[in-house]
Amino acid sequence: MYTEQTPLIQAIDISKSYLIGTQTMNVIQSVNVKITGGQFIAIVGRSGSGKTTLLNLLAGLDQPSSGKVLVKGQNIADMSESHLTNMRRTVIGFIFQSFGLLPLLSAFENVELPLRITGMGLVERQNKTRTALEMVGLWGRANHRPYELSGGEQQRISIARAVVGEPPLILADEPTGELDSNNAKDIFGLFKEMVNKQGISIVCATHDSTLLSMADEVNELKNGTLFGDYTDDTRTRFRQ
């Protein structure tokens, strides 16, 4: 049963392996994660360390080879596909490195789309979309299409789309990978503000050192194993 004290997501000894030819590749090994409300967590690691795989497991986009993932106390392995879809719509928002915006839709329409899919009424849909765009500072660009926006603006639109349904958790996969350092810092600052003001939890997979000073908790994924929250000395080492 879910209570306010129950973690939004909890991974218990999850592992993920793939058979490639005759070789078994262990991508994730006995990882434990607990995410509660109002946390800003960074997962760092080199390219290929398994960060995207871990996020996919937490979101129920992939199933662990062993262990279990609980969303609000429920094992995702026991959820039907429709239950999983509804869980992703109401509990988890996604932000991707490549923005993932539809090129023929305006910024407003891109943000509004998830609400349309849920069948939300017009007035409520429009109000929520405006609120989300105002939160990322881009209401004035609502009628622009993605190609008319800068990279930083496109990523802000993707953030607005992720939060428009008011999910308690955002999973972000290398969200600043295509941005310069100034835009990256702005995006991470926006994440921090969302955590502090809206109480949203954000788990961000990155190897951008800009994030480390802003995150409440920084964990390293190395050779499939997740190492606990960094000390200040370790954060400094990673930046170097």
Side-chain angles (χ1 to χ4, degrees), residues 80-94:
S80 65
E81 192 57 42
S82 61
H83 191 174
L84 278 170
T85 299
N86 184 63
M87 178 270 290
R88 295 186 200 112
R89 287 175 180 170
T90 58
V91 179
I92 300 172
F94 298 92

Side-chain angles (χ1 to χ4, degrees), residues 2 11 14 35 50 59 64 182 188 194 240:
Y2 177 70
I14 59 170
I35 303 164
N182 287 332
F188 289 143
M194 289 162 58
Q240 297 170 343

Side-chain angles (χ1 to χ4, degrees), residues 6-12 14 33-35 57-58 64 67-79 87 91-92 169:
T6 304
L8 292 170
I9 291 185
Q10 184 173 11
I12 303 172
I14 59 170
V33 176
K34 184 183 291 185
I35 303 164
L57 292 171
L58 294 179
K68 57 186 177 180
V69 177
L70 307 178
V71 177
K72 292 189 171 184
Q74 289 188 280
N75 191 340
I76 61 171
D78 298 331
M79 295 182 184
M87 178 270 290
V91 179
I92 300 172
L169 173 66

Side-chain angles (χ1 to χ4, degrees), residues 4-225:
E4 290 298 323
Q5 288 73 41
T6 304
L8 292 170
I9 291 185
Q10 184 173 11
I12 303 172
D13 290 327
I14 59 170
S15 297
K16 183 65 180 180
S17 59
Y18 298 96
L19 187 63
I20 301 177
T22 59
Q23 299 292 319
T24 299
M25 178 177 290
N26 299 310
V27 183
I28 299 294
Q29 302 184 67
S30 299
V31 165
N32 290 279
V33 176
K34 184 183 291 185
I35 303 164
T36 57
Q39 289 185 293
F40 187 10
I41 300 172
I43 298 175
V44 300
R46 300 188 183 281
S47 180
S49 61
K51 298 189 301 295
T52 296
T53 299
L54 178 57
L55 291 188
N56 287 343
L57 292 171
L58 294 179
L61 296 172
D62 199 357
Q63 295 286 341
S65 302
S66 62
K68 57 186 177 180
V69 177
L70 307 178
V71 177
K72 292 189 171 184
Q74 289 188 280
N75 191 340
I76 61 171
D78 298 331
M79 295 182 184
S80 65
E81 192 57 42
S82 61
H83 191 174
L84 278 170
T85 299
N86 184 63
M87 178 270 290
R88 295 186 200 112
R89 287 175 180 170
T90 58
V91 179
I92 300 172
F94 298 92
I95 301 170
F96 303 101
Q97 176 179 343
S98 59
F99 314 142
L101 302 177
L102 298 177
L104 298 181
L105 299 184
S106 67
F108 186 96
E109 291 165 335
N110 267 285
V111 175
E112 181 193 34
L113 185 60
L115 304 181
R116 280 182 174 269
I117 292 172
T118 66
M120 183 179 291
L122 175 63
V123 174
E124 185 179 7
R125 208 166 64 223
Q126 291 178 334
N127 289 338
K128 285 183 177 293
T129 300
R130 176 165 185 156
T131 297
L133 285 168
E134 287 177 340
M135 188 182 76
V136 300
L138 286 179
W139 173 243
R141 306 283 274 169
N143 292 324
H144 290 70
R145 287 182 169 78
Y147 68 85
E148 299 174 306
L149 302 170
S150 69
E153 287 173 332
Q154 289 184 61
Q155 190 59 289
R156 284 174 177 268
I157 295 300
S158 72
I159 292 170
R161 181 185 56 194
V163 303
V164 71
E166 301 176 344
L169 173 66
I170 299 292
L171 299 178
D173 189 7
E174 298 286 3
T176 61
E178 297 188 10
L179 303 179
D180 61 34
S181 58
N182 287 332
N183 275 315
K185 189 173 182 179
D186 288 344
I187 292 301
F188 289 143
L190 179 59
F191 284 169
K192 187 71 172 178
E193 187 175 325
M194 289 162 58
V195 171
N196 291 339
K197 291 187 176 180
Q198 275 80 41
I200 295 171
S201 286
I202 295 177
V203 178
C204 182
T206 184
H207 44 316
D208 190 329
S209 61
T210 308
L211 174 60
L212 302 189
S213 62
M214 297 187 186
D216 300 319
E217 181 179 317
V218 180
N219 300 278
E220 181 182 15
L221 193 60
K222 187 175 182 180
N223 298 324
T225 300

